[in-house]
Amino acid sequence: MNINNAEFIISAVGPQQYPDGQLPEFAFIGRSNVGKSSFINTLINRKNLARTSSHPGKTQTINYYLIENTFYFVDLPGYGFAKVSKTMRAKWGKFIEAYLSKRNQLQCVFHLIDIRHVPTHDDVLMFQWLQHLGIPTIIIATKLDKIPRGKRQQHIAQIKKALNIKEGLIIPFSSVSREGKDEVLALLDEMLG
Ligand SMILES: Nc1nc2c(ncn2[C@@H]2O[C@H](COP(=O)(O)OP(=O)(O)O)[C@@H](O)[C@H]2O)c(=O)[nH]1
Ligand SMILES: [Mg+2]
């Protein structure tokens, strides 16, 4: 697949604003600043549709993009930003949980993790939660261009170990070099049947 048509639909603040209908949805989640907006922009061949933000944690909405008029990309708010109150965190949790656990259009979650570092406590909790909910999850290891080629396997192993992944998909990705893009698009093709 090559995505030529992507249209921003809505920044939803609650379930009543999610689009009607039964089009399949693919969601994206990760720490703030992990490269989620850049990932979406790379997939849809746009520079700035999913806004690249230098202000982590600002987005507390679920952003819907209609792709090729046949499915949705769903950008979930980032987690793990430091300067956020407990009340805000609880609110975030409820909002995301409602989407992840109740949305039957959801096909798969792309969980983005920075390839440079050991996954954070929040990354591990998020991944375990997705497993617990039984949601098919694909790990996208972002910012691949920032580590030397010779260290790739080591960094991927580090993610697998922290998340306790035996089998399962980890796709190294860079929105700078676009490595991993074709693999992600092929997976989408597969999931869309
Ligand atoms: N070198 C490099 N930088 C990236 C990559 N993806 C994102 N970034 C940078 O990381 C910062 C956060 O990216 P953004 O997409 O806004 O992250 P988000 O908060 O998860 O949506 C920005 O400065 C991006 O330019 C990547 O693959 N490689
Ligand atoms: Mg973003």
Side-chain angles (χ1 to χ4, degrees):
M1 148 175 0
N2 193 17
I3 297 172
N4 299 308
N5 195 305
E7 186 190 343
F8 172 73
I9 300 296
I10 194 168
S11 280
V13 296
Q16 63 290 346
Q17 290 181 315
Y18 302 163
D20 292 331
Q22 286 302 316
L23 293 184
E25 298 181 5
F26 301 90
F28 307 93
I29 200 156
R31 295 190 87 215
S32 300
N33 224 33
V34 70
K36 191 156 51 68
S37 300
S38 306
F39 177 65
I40 296 170
N41 286 328
T42 302
L43 293 184
I44 63 183
N45 299 308
R46 295 277 286 267
K47 277 219 167 67
N48 210 10
L49 187 61
R51 189 165 36 101
T52 306
S53 166
S54 53
H55 306 286
K58 244 176 52 173
T59 335
Q60 290 297 320
T61 56
I62 290 185
N63 298 325
Y64 273 87
Y65 301 88
L66 178 62
I67 311 299
E68 302 289 325
N69 288 307
T70 49
F71 59 93
Y72 289 107
F73 278 167
V74 182
D75 187 10
L76 301 173
Y79 58 83
F81 31 92
K83 295 190 200 107
V84 161
S85 68
K86 275 205 172 132
T87 332
M88 273 285 281
R89 271 177 196 257
K91 215 173 132 191
W92 180 93
K94 284 220 172 76
F95 186 30
I96 303 303
E97 182 175 25
Y99 174 81
L100 291 175
S101 60
K102 297 198 182 109
R103 190 72 173 163
N104 60 16
Q105 291 91 329
L106 177 63
Q107 305 297 306
C108 165
V109 170
F110 291 89
H111 185 188
L112 280 66
I113 292 181
D114 193 323
I115 198 166
R116 294 174 295 174
H117 314 298
V118 178
T120 65
H121 184 58
D122 287 328
D123 287 331
V124 176
L125 288 179
M126 188 70 230
F127 184 73
Q128 287 173 347
W129 194 21
L130 291 165
Q131 301 287 102
H132 171 76
L133 292 170
I135 298 169
T137 302
I138 295 166
I139 302 287
I140 303 295
T142 63
K143 309 198 182 182
L144 179 61
D145 59 285
K146 291 213 176 191
I147 56 165
R149 211 164 257 277
K151 293 213 161 159
R152 288 181 176 190
Q153 285 319 314
Q154 188 185 320
H155 282 254
I156 291 165
Q158 178 171 269
I159 293 176
K160 281 191 172 170
K161 188 176 173 214
L163 301 183
N164 195 20
I165 300 175
K166 306 256 155 33
E167 289 161 61
L169 228 36
I170 298 192
I171 302 180
F173 187 92
S174 166
S175 58
V176 173
S177 69
R178 293 163 194 257
E179 270 179 282
K181 178 181 173 182
D182 290 345
E183 214 175 330
V184 173
L185 293 175
L187 274 169
L188 283 170
D189 271 328
E190 215 174 280
M191 289 188 277
L192 289 162

